[in-house]
Amino acid sequence: MRAVDRAFDEVRFGPTRTLNLRALQPTALQAADLTERWLREQQVLGVDEVLVITGRGNNSVDGYSPVREAVVRLLPSLRRRNVIASYGEHTPGSFVVCFAPLKALFEVPRRRREPSAKPAPRPASLSALDEETLRQLRDLAVMSLAVLGLNSPTRAQLEDEMLRQYSALSAALPESGDKEALLQQALLRAAEEYEAG
């Protein structure tokens, strides 16, 4: 890659929106796991697009990059699961990934042959959450159920939807930082997406 192209990528994506697997040198399995976790975090954080650098495999046996192939296999799966909206080869050793709306996470049909996201530890009850977080979760659950045609949900239906949304969003939150504040930001973004139509 030319220095000029690299400079444009640094301006366009910056270090926080670039995952450089080539520099990390993970195994193919580690690369797939790391890429999925990182892309889920970026979606929940509200990022529009990111750059994933896999390398081309020039220094690999026979010029084959197992890391690149692992990412190539992962991306369609993440698109089906509404984590990403699209992806494309940026260079022979990198991909630009654009994210699906956050509310799309709640619309994913389950498939048996694909692993589901690792569930976040569930609180003993939602009452362990801050009152503002609970209010936001409740509001989002009401919006989500209304889209499905359920305008007067029972308490059990509402709590089930709140737990489902809590699990989907909290599983993708970064390990560092104030998780509840990040969860509130994600809930707000998802609610705004529902309101926008």
Side-chain angles (χ1 to χ4, degrees):
M1 178 183 254
R2 294 183 341 211
V4 169
D5 293 332
R6 197 171 302 119
F8 279 124
D9 285 348
E10 287 176 19
V11 169
R12 179 176 172 188
F13 299 103
T16 60
R17 295 188 307 131
T18 302
L19 176 61
N20 190 343
L21 296 170
R22 184 178 57 211
L24 297 173
Q25 297 184 335
T27 65
L29 188 59
Q30 291 168 333
D33 184 54
L34 176 63
T35 302
E36 180 167 356
R37 279 187 288 118
W38 187 76
L39 289 173
R40 285 180 176 278
E41 284 178 13
Q42 297 303 307
Q43 180 192 29
V44 168
L45 293 174
V47 174
D48 292 331
E49 67 176 4
V50 295
L51 180 66
V52 177
I53 301 171
T54 61
R56 292 181 284 188
N58 288 344
N59 296 324
S60 301
V61 177
D62 296 328
Y64 170 78
S65 171
V67 167
R68 184 181 189 289
E69 293 307 311
V71 171
V72 165
R73 283 190 308 273
L74 173 67
L75 293 174
S77 170
L78 291 176
R79 186 175 54 203
R80 280 190 301 276
R81 291 183 278 160
N82 291 344
V83 174
I84 65 175
S86 64
Y87 61 92
E89 191 173 71
H90 182 59
T91 66
S94 67
F95 297 90
V96 172
V97 178
C98 299
F99 293 94
L102 198 52
K103 71 177 185 175
L105 283 178
F106 310 126
E107 302 163 355
V108 177
R110 294 203 65 156
R111 290 176 58 132
R112 287 186 187 165
R113 57 188 162 139
E114 288 185 343
S116 57
K118 295 176 186 162
R122 240 177 165 152
S125 77
L126 291 175
S127 61
L129 298 172
D130 180 88
E131 276 302 311
E132 176 61 19
T133 307
L134 278 174
R135 183 194 63 73
Q136 287 181 299
L137 255 177
R138 190 176 305 107
D139 291 348
L140 185 60
V142 166
M143 286 183 228
S144 175
L145 291 170
V147 166
L148 296 172
L150 189 58
N151 293 316
S152 299
T154 66
R155 180 180 178 150
Q157 290 170 323
L158 190 58
E159 188 167 306
D160 283 349
E161 183 65 11
M162 289 170 69
L163 282 169
R164 188 174 75 87
Q165 292 178 349
Y166 170 80
S167 294
L169 293 174
S170 61
L173 292 174
E175 293 299 318
S176 60
D178 182 349
K179 282 196 152 203
E180 191 137 358
L182 292 171
L183 178 59
Q184 287 180 5
Q185 291 172 3
L187 289 166
L188 180 63
R189 247 188 321 282
E192 288 170 350
E193 288 174 5
Y194 271 110
E195 290 172 352

